[in-house]
Amino acid sequence: MMIEQVTYYTDQLQEIVERVWINYDCTSSSRYLISLAGVPGAGKTTFANQIAMELSKKVAKTIVLSQDGFHLYRSELEAMPNASEAIRRRGAPFTFNAKAFVKLVSILHDKSIEINAPSFDHKLKDPVENDIMIARDVSIVIIEGNYVSLKDKFWNDISSLVDDTWFIIASEQLVRSRIIRRHLQAGIAKNEQEAIERTDGNDLQNAKYILENSKTTNVLIVTR
């Protein structure tokens, strides 16, 4: 079935809030779930937190759940047959526990249960178990991550588990500069040259894969 995609810009927060308000059923016993995909550096996390704040004020209590908590541990990557490549490519789809992530997404609708989810500590470079609590009074969850609209095994199931699907885009130049800066600020790269090499050799590879292998979402959000 052909999806008629609606486009918004990142500064159209009120219009996007209105979309959720129209579709969200305040009498429902289920949480309202939104997936937000996009390439690294497109602004997913910043936008997700902004819109979550607005939705909490104007519609219902909202929380952001990132796929980042489902990174495989470094110890798991080191145990892989291709350990050096897995560590170098950390952040690629195969370096996540997609099955566990989708299993958690599959129970998010049920407001009768309190759910604990992992986060990701960039200093430790590993997930932190049970760091995010999705309480019973949370009515809207934004499920944010690079791969939440992928057609690949496990990831492919997410669109059938959520109520609305979003994808955020930004220019390649902006994405690249943001990722390089992020690697330097987080201490992932020791210097600018290393940050550039990591960005071009890994992150932009992942970005290309996302753009070529993601489903068409209900909503396209353009960074400006």
Side-chain angles (χ1 to χ4, degrees), residues 78-110:
E78 288 164 358
M80 286 183 169
N82 58 340
S84 59
E85 176 68 3
I87 291 167
R88 185 186 76 79
R89 291 295 318 281
R90 196 177 200 192
F94 74 92
T95 66
F96 284 85
N97 189 341
K99 185 177 181 180
F101 180 57
V102 174
K103 183 178 179 181
L104 185 139
V105 172
S106 72
I107 64 171
L108 281 178
H109 270 300
D110 189 352

Side-chain angles (χ1 to χ4, degrees), residues 52-66:
M53 192 180 303
E54 291 299 312
L55 289 170
S56 291
K57 288 190 291 188
K58 297 174 182 176
V59 182
K61 187 171 180 179
T62 303
I63 196 167
V64 177
L65 174 66
S66 173

Side-chain angles (χ1 to χ4, degrees), residues 3-4 12 20 22 29 67 69 73 85 92 147 149 167 221:
I3 291 176
E4 188 175 337
Q12 291 183 294
V20 178
I22 289 169
S29 60
Q67 73 170 46
Y73 283 85
E85 176 68 3
Y147 306 125
S149 285
F167 194 98
I221 298 164

Side-chain angles (χ1 to χ4, degrees), residues 113-124:
I113 57 175
E114 188 172 275
I115 298 169
N116 290 305
S119 66
F120 187 81
D121 189 315
H122 288 277
K123 290 182 180 176
L124 293 175

